[in-house]
Amino acid sequence: GPKVLQIPSHQIIDMGQMVTLNCDPVSNHLYFYWYKQILGQQMEFLVNFYNGKVMEKSKLFKDQFSVERPDGSYFTLKIQPTALEDSAVYFCASSLEHHSGNTLYFGEGSRLIVV
Amino acid sequence: GQQVQQSPASLVLQEGENAELQCNFSSTATRLQWFYQRPGGSLVSLLSNPSGTKHTGRLTSTTVTKERRGSLHISSSQITDSGTYLCQGGSAKLIFGEGTKLTVSS
């Protein structure tokens, strides 16, 4: 089936440094999402993105977070600067439509460890 | 904001029994999707069903949109069905529930 690819799968980074998580969504999809899951905890919504703009974001989407999809390439989540509490698995998802029965496809996740 | 409640939190069954998992939304949801989360964390999409009933294999998803609830029925459970089942949905923000941990034993 359709695949969402996430790069990197794992990253260890020093607190205060910048990190960019990359997502290659399903090719014809228009809606993009990021979720955060701390080990053993609930999957938390961060942000969704359509037509070059953030549609909705949660309280977890701090000022240090930003998303973009320049020129239809990777959909990226940037954290600058990183903090210890940003350690988590970040999942990217994409969908053809937002309000529908279309399937939301998820990547395998990017495990971020901030030390 | 939107909240998603899943019940039960955990369920223990004998192989061959049926499972019924519930999902309730605090406000109107325009989409509902069920996932299985593997032990390593990756998600397997099971059914996307904003309203009505959908089947695939041993899985049946029923969503009653106006009552803001959905259910996932697993018939003739197998040991390999063990794991965490997540309900996700909403309207503007698509939120996950905390999951139902299913254990199927022989």
Side-chain angles (χ1 to χ4, degrees):
Chain A
K3 292 243 185 245
V4 173
L5 299 176
Q6 289 190 238
I7 301 165
S9 58
H10 295 79
Q11 183 146 7
I12 300 174
I13 195 163
D14 290 327
M15 184 175 63
Q17 297 294 306
M18 182 193 76
V19 68
T20 299
L21 304 180
N22 299 290
C23 173
D24 188 9
V26 178
S27 62
N28 62 335
H29 282 186
L30 302 174
Y31 294 84
F32 312 110
Y33 309 80
W34 282 104
Y35 287 82
K36 174 184 180 182
Q37 188 174 38
I38 293 171
L39 187 63
Q41 296 187 20
Q42 191 170 352
M43 183 89 75
E44 304 274 12
F45 169 81
L46 283 177
V47 67
N48 58 22
F49 189 86
Y50 168 72
N51 198 25
K53 295 179 190 142
V54 170
M55 288 169 51
E56 293 284 340
K57 59 184 180 180
S58 72
K59 292 177 192 173
L60 294 179
F61 194 77
K62 305 178 295 184
D63 290 343
Q64 298 89 325
F65 287 40
S66 63
V67 290
E68 63 176 355
R69 193 183 185 210
D71 299 325
S73 60
Y74 286 147
F75 175 51
T76 62
L77 174 65
K78 187 184 292 186
I79 308 174
Q80 181 178 26
T82 50
L84 294 176
E85 61 264 27
D86 297 331
S87 295
V89 180
Y90 291 84
F91 290 93
C92 172
S94 73
S95 177
L96 186 58
E97 294 177 23
H98 182 74
H99 300 288
S100 74
N102 287 132
T103 298
L104 201 67
Y105 292 92
F106 277 80
E108 298 277 307
S110 291
R111 185 176 299 274
L112 177 66
I113 299 171
V114 181
V115 296
Chain B
Q2 175 76 274
Q3 292 186 16
V4 178
Q5 299 287 339
Q6 285 190 248
S7 60
S10 62
L11 184 60
V12 179
L13 297 174
Q14 295 276 348
E15 199 171 15
E17 290 184 319
N18 299 330
E20 189 85 13
L21 282 55
Q22 304 291 338
C23 181
N24 290 278
F25 293 85
S26 59
S27 55
T28 303
T30 55
R31 65 181 302 154
L32 186 154
Q33 190 165 343
W34 289 94
F35 293 88
Y36 171 78
Q37 187 164 35
R38 296 190 180 107
S42 61
L43 296 171
V44 178
S45 176
L46 299 175
L47 283 162
S48 179
N49 183 24
S51 65
T53 300
K54 249 186 173 180
H55 304 273
T56 183
R58 294 182 293 108
L59 305 178
T60 301
S61 166
T62 301
T63 304
V64 184
T65 311
K66 62 182 180 181
E67 294 180 10
R68 305 197 299 266
R69 61 178 175 86
S71 64
L72 180 70
H73 182 88
I74 306 172
S75 62
S76 304
S77 61
Q78 299 173 2
I79 292 172
T80 51
D81 293 335
S82 297
T84 300
Y85 290 79
L86 299 176
C87 168
Q88 185 228 31
S91 184
K93 298 175 185 173
L94 301 181
I95 307 296
F96 279 90
E98 293 196 33
T100 292
K101 186 173 179 183
L102 176 65
T103 304
V104 183
S105 58
S106 58

